[in-house]
Amino acid sequence: MKIVILDGYVANPGDLSWDGLAQFGELTVYDRTAPQDVVARAADAEAVFVNKINMTAEVIESLPKLRFIGELATGYNNIDLAAATRCGVTVCNVPAYSTASVAQTVFALLLQLKVNIGRYTRAVAEGQWVAAPDFSFTMGPIEELEGLTMGVYGLGNIGSRVAAIAHAFGMQVISPTSKAADALPTYVRKVAFEQMLAEADVITIHAPLTPQTRGLFSRSAFAAMKSSAVLINTARGPIVNESDLAEALRAGIIAGAAVDVLDREPPMADCPLLADDLVKGERPRLLITPHIAWQSVTARHRLLDVSVANLAAFIAGSPQNRVN
C-alpha cells in the first residue's frame, strides 16, 4: 500500500515518529503541500492523510487508486464527504484526542484575561518589584473565577470537560445544549441561547463550524451580552464575525476576548482582530494565540496513535471513526 501524508508538519514537526504508519506500506511524508501539487503527490496513493488540505470533489475524482482518507484532526470540513462516498473512499477522523489540551488552554486564556499574569511577570523582569515601595503592587484589577457564570456553547467532549473544570473553579455553568436537561451533569443548567448571552460572564465556544454556526457570534450577539463579559473561541474562527468582534471590543460592548482560531489561518496582515489598539498595550482587550490549543505533545501522540489504528482497522475491513 502506498501511503502519503500531505501536510504532516504541524501534527509532527519532528518530535514524534511516523513509523506506525510506515508499517503498512510505502510511506511518503510532506511537511506541506500547495493546492496545485495535491493530485500529483497523491497520484498513486491508496491512503492519504491530511490535516488542512482541501480534498475537494475534483481532487478525489482525480485519484482513482485512493481508497482511504485519514483526517489528522477531529474536524473534517476540508473533505468533500459526498464525493468520497461516491468514489468509494472511506474517510476517518480522530475524535476527542485534544480534549484535555484544548480545555486547559481555555482556562489559560481566561486566567490571563482575569489575572494578567503575563503583565506581572514582565513587570518583575523589568525591575518594577525591586523598585516598589510596598511588598506587593497592583497593575489593575485581579478578578476571581469563583462565582462567575460560564456559558458553554457546544457541550461535546471538549465543552463538557471545560464545564467540569469551570465547576471545579466554583463557577456557575449554563449551556444552550440540545441535550436533555435530565441528561446533563447537575452543575450544568440548560438555557436558551439568548439567555446564555444575557447571563454569562464568560462565553466559551466549542461547536463545529456549520452553516448554522458560521457568523453566529456577531453584532447582535455581542449587544445581548453583558458589558463586563468576555468571549473565548478555541473552536473554529468563522463562528465569530471578526469585524463585529473588533467593533464590540472598541466600543466597550463586551469587556474582552481571547481567540485561538481565526477566519483565515494564517491570517492576512489586515485581519481586523490584529489591530494594534486591540492586541497591544499593557492590558490588551484581545488575546490571540496561533491555533495551539490542540497542540500538546500528549495530544499529538494520541492523534498519531489513533490515525495508525484507523488505517489498521480499515485494512482489516472494519473501519473505525468513519465519518462518511
Side-chain angles (χ1 to χ4, degrees):
M1 170 179 279
K2 182 173 181 180
I3 307 161
V4 175
I5 301 171
L6 289 171
D7 54 341
Y9 182 82
V10 174
N12 178 13
D15 57 344
L16 304 178
S17 172
W18 295 113
D19 288 352
L21 291 175
Q23 67 179 305
F24 299 113
E26 177 190 345
L27 176 66
T28 302
V29 180
Y30 297 100
D31 285 345
R32 303 168 189 86
T33 298
Q36 64 271 20
D37 296 328
V38 170
V39 172
R41 288 183 170 183
D44 296 322
E46 293 175 80
V48 167
F49 285 85
V50 296
N51 190 319
K52 289 293 183 284
I53 295 291
N54 286 318
M55 297 297 287
T56 64
E58 181 181 2
V59 168
I60 293 170
E61 291 165 359
S62 299
L63 301 173
K65 295 184 179 180
L66 186 63
R67 297 165 50 213
F68 175 90
I69 299 175
E71 178 70 61
L72 292 168
T74 300
Y76 45 85
N77 53 293
N78 58 313
I79 301 172
D80 190 321
L81 296 185
T85 301
R86 189 168 61 250
C87 294
V89 177
T90 297
V91 182
C92 298
N93 74 335
V94 184
Y97 75 94
S98 63
T99 299
S101 185
V102 175
Q104 73 179 24
T105 302
V106 169
F107 286 90
L109 293 170
L110 179 57
L111 288 167
Q112 176 61 18
L113 285 170
K114 296 298 185 182
V115 184
N116 208 3
I117 291 293
R119 183 181 179 191
Y120 278 98
T121 57
R122 287 194 303 272
V124 172
E126 292 166 358
Q128 293 186 44
W129 198 13
V130 172
D134 304 305
F135 76 93
S136 175
F137 67 93
T138 184
M139 303 179 73
I142 293 175
E143 302 174 60
E144 293 183 353
L145 299 188
E146 185 170 355
L148 297 183
T149 296
M150 173 176 277
V152 181
Y153 182 72
L155 206 60
N157 290 312
I158 295 174
S160 295
R161 181 69 62 87
V162 168
I165 297 171
H167 174 64
F169 267 110
M171 303 179 77
Q172 306 301 312
V173 182
I174 59 178
S175 177
T177 178
S178 60
K179 297 177 180 178
D182 59 5
L184 300 177
T186 56
Y187 52 80
V188 177
R189 179 164 54 96
K190 181 173 181 174
V191 298
F193 179 71
E194 294 75 15
Q195 188 176 353
M196 179 190 72
L197 295 177
E199 292 187 13
D201 299 296
V202 181
I203 292 178
T204 179
I205 302 172
H206 301 290
L209 178 62
T210 67
Q212 291 71 39
T213 62
R214 182 179 291 273
L216 179 64
F217 286 85
S218 58
R219 183 178 292 108
S220 60
F222 301 135
M225 291 169 62
K226 295 179 179 180
S227 60
S228 58
V230 299
L231 177 75
I232 299 174
N233 186 14
T234 55
R236 288 291 181 264
I239 296 175
V240 175
N241 183 301
E242 294 181 344
S243 296
D244 288 358
L245 176 57
E247 177 185 309
L249 291 169
R250 287 195 181 97
I253 294 171
I254 64 172
V259 300
D260 184 55
V261 288
L262 293 175
D263 200 338
R264 176 170 176 165
E265 297 172 350
M268 300 290 286
D270 61 355
C271 171
L273 295 184
L274 293 179
D276 287 355
D277 64 319
L278 296 178
V279 299
K280 293 185 178 180
E282 288 298 318
R283 190 156 192 162
R285 286 170 283 187
L286 174 64
L287 307 177
I288 302 177
T289 49
H291 207 141
I292 60 166
W294 65 280
Q295 211 186 84
S296 70
V297 174
T298 303
R300 291 186 294 108
H301 263 294
R302 194 177 297 119
L303 173 67
L304 266 59
D305 288 347
V306 176
S307 294
V308 170
N310 282 350
L311 183 57
F314 169 76
I315 293 171
S318 302
Q320 65 175 23
N321 300 317
R322 185 171 186 168
V323 295
N324 71 326

